[in-house]
Amino acid sequence: MGEYFAYDYAGAPFQLFGAAHLAALGALALIAIGLTRFKGAGETTRKKVRITLGVFLWVNEAVWHLWNLAWGHWDVQTMLPLNACSILIWLSGFMFIFRNYAIYEFAYFMGIGAAFQYLLTPDLGIYGFPHLRFFQTFLSHGILLISAVYMTVVEEFRPTWKSFWRVAVGTNLYMLVVYPINVWLGSNYLMINGKPATASLLDLFPPWPVYILYMEAMGFVTFLILYLPFAVKDWRAKRGAVGLT
């Protein structure tokens, strides 16, 4: 069993869209569907579910940090919770426990967008099924994505146009904070100080800093797509209200 916790894993590497990858995505979809059964349940039951999910997010992320510490690979250049998914995983725990709407806004737009992209193309390298890193990655990003879905469907939260702009502006302000931290630490959180060394979608874009504008455009389009169902719903409701007058 020790090999499944090893840093230099000798087992089968991760295969993009291989059987294990597709099975993990399917399992997460089933978890999301299963959690919707709590829609309409009493507050006591829903609170227990939220606390369970929130604590699970924290414990799962803590395991990732402890694993790196145990192998001597924890460092401030890569392990601080400054990337979008990392910080949202910790914040979503508070969102679950306290039903925090401000965090929900970011979890909906940033969490779904970032986690969905990472789940489709996870950077797992040598860590294929059934290594600890495989499970930790899919559970952390999967529950992050599910958290926004759960709060929308079960807790009946929803984003607004104000949410859209708060998250858009807030994300850019956060980037301005992280940039000098990257300069100070020699890190590249949010990938805003340079393209990553490994192959990525950013390789298709112009050199730094121009590619950041492409990242901004991609994020804006993603936000619009995520808000589209609510925009259509509001438009239909408004049209129906006009028809009744």
Side-chain angles (χ1 to χ4, degrees):
M1 288 294 292
E3 63 182 297
Y4 302 129
F5 299 89
Y7 191 83
D8 297 319
Y9 182 53
F14 175 76
Q15 181 181 355
L16 188 66
F17 299 121
H21 187 187
L22 296 177
L25 295 178
L28 291 172
L30 290 176
I31 292 173
I33 294 171
L35 287 171
T36 61
R37 65 183 289 269
F38 293 104
K39 180 178 175 62
E43 168 59 18
T44 301
T45 299
R46 289 186 287 108
K47 185 174 183 179
K48 289 179 180 177
V49 175
R50 293 198 311 270
I51 291 175
T52 300
L53 291 171
V55 171
F56 180 86
L57 273 174
W58 288 340
V59 171
N60 188 63
E61 192 69 4
V63 167
W64 165 235
H65 286 270
L66 291 172
W67 181 75
N68 279 278
L69 277 171
W71 286 102
H73 289 278
W74 197 100
D75 57 68
V76 296
Q77 284 75 34
T78 59
M79 295 300 299
L80 293 178
L82 294 177
N83 283 321
C85 286
S86 298
I87 191 170
L88 284 171
I89 285 169
W90 291 107
L91 289 176
S92 291
F94 290 99
M95 175 190 70
F96 273 132
I97 294 171
F98 299 106
R99 294 184 84 251
N100 186 288
Y101 182 77
I103 297 175
Y104 164 78
E105 293 178 319
F106 284 87
Y108 183 83
F109 287 110
M110 287 295 296
I112 291 180
F116 182 74
Q117 181 272 329
Y118 195 84
L119 287 169
L120 287 181
T121 57
D123 183 21
L124 284 174
I126 64 172
Y127 302 112
F129 177 86
H131 192 273
L132 169 70
R133 177 63 175 144
F134 177 91
F135 287 102
Q136 190 277 331
T137 293
F138 280 102
L139 287 172
S140 62
H141 292 81
I143 301 301
L144 173 60
L145 191 156
I146 289 170
S147 69
V149 175
Y150 178 87
M151 295 301 289
T152 303
V153 175
V154 178
E155 298 294 331
E156 298 184 339
F157 281 21
R158 59 149 294 177
T160 64
W161 273 118
K162 289 184 178 179
S163 303
F164 180 99
W165 291 109
R166 274 194 291 265
V167 174
V169 173
T171 300
N172 280 276
L173 291 176
Y174 181 64
M175 290 169 62
L176 291 176
V177 172
V178 172
Y179 179 83
I181 294 177
N182 282 335
V183 173
W184 178 40
L185 296 177
S187 55
N188 193 23
Y189 294 108
L190 301 179
M191 297 183 291
I192 56 175
N193 290 61
K195 294 183 181 182
T198 56
S200 71
L201 182 63
L202 298 184
D203 294 332
L204 302 176
F205 301 151
W208 185 91
V210 179
Y211 75 82
I212 296 176
L213 297 177
Y214 286 76
M215 290 172 58
E216 293 266 6
M218 287 175 57
F220 193 80
V221 171
T222 300
F223 285 9
L224 285 175
I225 292 172
L226 288 171
Y227 190 70
L228 184 60
F230 299 97
V232 171
K233 180 180 179 181
D234 292 343
W235 175 78
R236 287 179 173 175
K238 184 177 180 180
R239 186 179 180 187
V242 171
L244 293 174
T245 58

